[in-house]
Structure formats: structure tokens, C-alpha cells
Amino acid sequence: MISEKFRRQLRQEARLWKAEGLVDDELYQQLADRYQFNSLETAASNRFVIILILGGGILLGLGVITFVAANWQQWPRYMRVLLLLSVLMGFNAGGFYLWQHPTSESKQRLGQGLLMAGALSLGANIALLAQMFHIGGSPYGLYVVWGLGVLIMAYSLKLRSLSVLAIILLGLGYFQGIGIALSARNLSAIDILLQYMPIASAILFLPLAYWCQSRVVFFMTLLAIAIPLLVITERLISYDSITRIWVAISLILIPTWLWSYRDSQWPHVHGQPFQAIAHSLAIFYLGVLCFIFSFFDVWNNFDFWTYRDTPENPNIMLINILAFVVISLWQWFQIIKPHGSQRYWGVNAYTTAISAMIIITGLVTFWHISIAQISTISTLIFNLQMFLLGAVTVRLGLLKGNRSAFWYGMVLLVLQIISRMFEYETELLLKALVLVLCGIAVIIAGLWFEKNLSRSNLPNSRS
């Protein structure tokens, strides 16, 4: 979809071309009809009206809320219930009508805003109705139920905003209640959901990302799966009775699953709409992990990672890990097996390099925590891996013209140099010199990359 900014710039340039005689009236009119120059002012006016309506609506809503709060206790219960349900149904009905039958783009956006307001009012309805009817519950249970309600709305309406809100609400409920859920004696359905949040997030949110065709929802879904897996990894480290191989597996499970993720494993999905996001997050995770493990003190004081309170149900966490291990093995099998015109089993060079880094990370971690402490060797290995990952991503950015990959690799390389200077005792003058050299190198590399990127984007001219 062509942006309004581009249309305004094009209209300005077209008027200049017409004044200079570069285009005639007929060609200018064709451009005006194609890019709808005449509707630009109307769109700006509609946006101003929307801002006024939203501002007035907010003030009106605040006034209503203040009035309701002042008379809430005096009203009978049935009137309070009727008011809550009326607000909920009013927002959703009005929003659905404007979104489903828009007469203009502005009204469609207003409908989406009303639907978002309806989703937010759902939480207030749940909390106040539970309070009025003396239904007990925990704060994290409110977020989970609220999030599931918004999730149903997101599936029904196929809206990205509602999908993101549902993920955020369930995430808030997870962080508030995971400690209680893991040690609870009498488990509720909400506690079970929180215990198996990585699996639940994959089941609830991954189909939604494809249903909405939203990269934002897919990225949020990956975070909703990866963060609970990190929480499980952190807790497994503190549990002495767990076989240490599970700690090593959980540490490398996230990049293993992310790098092997393929959009083609979903039916009726054509192309690779989200695969690059999973690969980028896997590389980011490996970079952060290599940076943390590149410090000698991390390996020399590995007890720093442990808790003092041990979780009550480690087997539940192992089930989450085992489920994603099985999924990852199946995904890697799909990658290495022959498919299409490929006749032999194997992977490309980048997948080979990433998989080698993942395996080395797991082996080094397992050896250090289970067999013998190798703090010096581990630090050296992860410094080497960090350098290689930075160099590979820089090369990938240069070959594919990927600005994000290039700058991520540059950040890894610079961070490695600077962190080594500050980790070990060096002269202040040497630190200043290194910082200056790194700054100059980043400026030169950035200018050179941007220059070559601009040159590669120019159309090829025939000689």
C-alpha cells in the first residue's frame, strides 16, 4: 500500500514538473487520478476529526467513569451489572459495525479502536463482576482469563492489535503466577496453563500469527515461547537433583528450535513469511549467550546462577523441555532430508555453522558443570564463537545487503573488544585508544557499507 507521505511528495514533484514543462496536463491528470491527489486534503481533515472525536471520547469516558465511581456503592447490583454489560457490548458492537462496514478508512480505524476499547473493558468487567459476586481469585488469574477472552476475540476478528494484547495479558499473568503455579499443591486450570506455558503459547499463538498474517504477532509469539523456556532453564540450573545434561539441553534448546523452524511445516502456507524472524531471533540469542559466557568470572563462579529456593515440580519443567526437543528433532529431520531436486542429505553452509555453534555450546556447558571445570577453555571457546558469529553476520549482511545483520555483527565484534579491555586490568590510556579505534572503525565500516548498499540498489545501466 502506497503511503500518504509518498503521495504528498509525488504531488509536489508533479506540480513542479508541470510548471517546468516536463509533463503536460494530461499526464499530470493521470498521475493525480492514479495516486488520488485530491483525496489528500480530505484524509488530513478526517484525521483531525478523528483526533477531536477521540479526545472528546476520552474526556467523556473519564466523566462517565467519575460519575459511576461516585455513585457505584449507592446503585443496586442489577444496575451495576447492566451498566458493565452495556459498556462492553456497546464498545464491541459499535466497533464491529464500523470495522466490518466502513465507509472510509478513518471509520475502519475508529472501529478497530472501539474494539480495542471493548477488549480493555472486558478486564474491568471480569474484575468488577467477580468483586460484586464475591468470586475469589488471584491477580494473575484475572490476567490469564482476560487474555484468553481477548484471544477469542482476536481469532474471531483476525485483528493484529487484539492478538498482541492477548499475548501481553497472558504474559503478565505468567510472570505474576509462575512461582505460585510451580509450587501449588491444589492445581487449578490456570496453574496448569502457566506450568505448560511454552507448549500452550505454541498451540494458542502460532496459528493466530498465520491467521492474522502478522509479523508482529509472530515475533511476539516467539517471545511468548522463548521467555518461559528461559525461566525453566534458570530454575533447572538451581535444582541439584536434575541430571546436568538437561541443563545443557535447555540452554541450547531455543536456538535449536528457532533455527530449524520452517513455515512450510504448516499446511496451506506458501512461501516463507516468518522464517527469517525465527532465524534472526536464534542468532540474537546465540550472540547474547556468547557475550555472557565470554567472561571468565561467569564460568569461574557458576554458583552465581543458582537459587536458594528449589522448585517443587521439576518434572513439569522437564516435560516442556522434552516436548520442544521432540519438535526440534523433527524439524531438523525435515531440513536435512532430501527434498525437491536435492538428492543427498545435508544442509547449507550457514546452517552448518549455526548448528556447530549450538552443539559446541551444549557440549562445553555440560562438560563444565558435570565432568570437570574448564573455566579458561570455556571462556576461550565462547570468545572465539562470538568473534566467528560477528564475522559471519557481517559477511551475511554484505552479501545480502541486510543492514540489520551487518550492524548486529559489528556490535558483537566491538562489544567483544571493549568488554575484554574492561574485564582485565589494562592501562586507562590503552582503554581510551581502543575506544577511539573502535569508534573510527565503526564509522568507516558503516559509511562503506551504506555506500555499497546504495550503489547495489541502483538500477543496472547498459553501456
Side-chain angles (χ1 to χ4, degrees):
M1 184 176 179
I2 300 175
S3 65
E4 184 177 336
K5 180 181 178 181
F6 172 78
R7 290 164 59 201
R8 288 186 178 276
Q9 293 176 344
L10 181 60
R11 183 180 66 175
Q12 182 179 359
E13 292 296 325
R15 287 175 176 175
L16 183 61
W17 297 338
K18 182 181 177 182
E20 295 177 352
L22 297 178
V23 297
D24 54 16
D25 293 339
E26 182 180 358
L27 182 56
Y28 176 82
Q29 189 60 42
Q30 291 177 357
L31 290 173
D33 295 339
R34 180 179 179 86
Y35 295 99
Q36 299 178 356
F37 291 164
N38 296 329
S39 65
L40 289 174
E41 301 303 330
T42 305
S45 178
N46 291 336
R47 279 199 309 272
F48 181 71
V49 172
I50 292 174
I51 293 174
L52 289 178
I53 293 175
L54 290 178
I58 292 173
L59 293 175
L60 179 62
L62 291 175
V64 172
I65 292 173
T66 305
F67 175 76
V68 170
N71 299 275
W72 185 257
Q73 298 299 331
Q74 285 75 25
W75 288 347
R77 180 183 294 179
Y78 75 89
M79 184 176 293
R80 285 181 278 176
V81 173
L82 183 61
L83 177 63
L84 289 174
L85 295 180
S86 298
V87 171
L88 177 64
M89 296 178 63
F91 275 130
N92 285 285
F96 181 78
Y97 178 79
L98 291 176
W99 173 73
Q100 193 70 17
H101 305 91
T103 57
S104 64
E105 185 179 356
S106 59
K107 288 188 177 181
Q108 186 178 31
R109 292 179 179 177
L110 179 59
Q112 293 181 7
L114 291 176
L115 288 171
M116 176 63 73
L120 293 174
S121 66
L122 176 63
N125 275 260
I126 295 173
L128 292 175
L129 289 175
Q131 181 184 12
M132 283 190 295
F133 291 96
H134 306 288
I135 301 174
S138 57
Y140 69 86
L142 168 63
Y143 282 113
V144 172
V145 174
W146 186 6
L148 291 176
V150 177
L151 183 66
I152 295 174
M153 295 176 60
Y155 268 105
S156 302
L157 302 175
K158 201 162 65 173
L159 279 179
R160 179 179 60 183
S161 56
L162 295 180
S163 304
V164 173
L165 179 61
I167 296 174
I168 292 175
L169 291 173
L170 285 172
L172 291 174
Y174 176 80
F175 282 111
Q176 287 192 2
I178 184 58
I180 301 174
L182 287 175
S183 58
R185 297 295 182 180
N186 299 321
L187 295 176
S188 64
I190 294 176
D191 293 329
I192 296 174
L193 177 65
L194 295 182
Q195 288 177 348
Y196 297 99
M197 182 56 76
I199 301 174
S201 296
I203 296 174
L204 294 175
F205 299 138
L206 278 177
L208 181 61
Y210 289 95
W211 179 246
C212 297
Q213 298 181 354
S214 172
R215 296 170 63 88
V216 175
V217 176
F218 182 77
F219 177 75
M220 295 287 291
T221 300
L222 295 186
L223 293 182
I225 297 172
I227 292 176
L229 287 177
L230 283 176
V231 173
I232 291 174
T233 301
E234 189 180 11
R235 289 181 174 270
L236 285 179
I237 291 175
S238 69
Y239 205 74
D240 295 333
S241 63
I242 294 294
T243 306
R244 287 304 175 183
I245 190 172
W246 285 106
V247 176
I249 290 175
S250 64
L251 198 65
I252 63 174
L253 181 59
I254 294 176
T256 303
W257 172 68
L258 287 174
W259 190 263
S260 61
Y261 186 87
R262 294 293 184 271
D263 294 308
S264 56
Q265 64 191 356
W266 292 90
H268 310 297
V269 175
H270 304 286
Q272 300 175 356
F274 303 138
Q275 185 173 306
I277 301 176
H279 287 184
S280 300
L281 195 58
I283 294 176
F284 178 79
Y285 178 91
L286 284 175
V288 173
L289 194 66
C290 288
F291 177 71
I292 294 174
F293 284 172
S294 66
F295 291 89
F296 178 79
D297 287 342
V298 173
W299 295 99
N300 198 35
N301 302 296
F302 210 80
D303 292 339
F304 173 77
W305 291 60
T306 61
Y307 294 137
R308 295 301 166 218
D309 54 333
T310 55
E312 295 291 338
N313 299 312
N315 292 331
I316 294 174
M317 295 182 284
L318 292 181
I319 292 174
N320 285 279
I321 297 296
L322 185 60
F324 277 89
V325 167
V326 173
I327 295 173
S328 299
L329 290 176
W330 179 79
Q331 290 180 167
W332 278 98
F333 173 77
Q334 298 296 321
I335 292 176
I336 63 177
K337 74 174 185 179
H339 53 275
S341 59
Q342 182 180 347
R343 300 177 57 185
Y344 303 100
W345 294 68
V347 294
N348 57 35
Y350 288 110
T351 300
T352 302
I354 296 297
S355 59
M357 291 185 64
I358 294 173
I359 293 172
I360 292 172
T361 299
L363 290 176
V364 171
T365 305
F366 174 72
W367 190 282
H368 180 83
I369 63 180
S370 300
I371 300 177
Q373 292 189 0
I374 49 173
S375 302
T376 304
I377 298 176
S378 300
T379 305
L380 180 63
I381 290 175
F382 276 93
N383 272 281
L384 180 61
Q385 286 199 146
M386 186 175 177
F387 172 78
L388 291 177
L389 183 62
V392 168
T393 50
V394 167
R395 175 175 172 78
L396 184 65
L398 291 173
L399 290 177
K400 296 189 175 183
N402 190 323
R403 185 179 284 106
S404 300
F406 174 82
W407 283 111
Y408 178 70
M410 289 296 299
V411 168
L412 282 182
L413 296 176
V414 172
L415 274 179
Q416 184 175 30
I417 297 173
I418 294 176
S419 59
R420 297 294 75 79
M421 293 298 301
F422 284 92
E423 181 183 10
Y424 303 105
E425 294 184 2
T426 54
E427 294 293 335
L428 190 60
L429 184 61
L430 181 59
K431 292 179 180 178
L433 179 62
V434 170
L435 289 174
V436 171
L437 292 177
C438 287
I440 295 174
V442 168
I443 293 174
I444 294 175
L447 292 176
W448 178 80
F449 174 76
E450 295 295 334
K451 179 180 179 181
N452 283 271
L453 182 64
S454 301
R455 185 180 302 170
S456 63
N457 289 335
L458 291 176
N460 297 326
S461 58
R462 296 182 179 179
S463 58

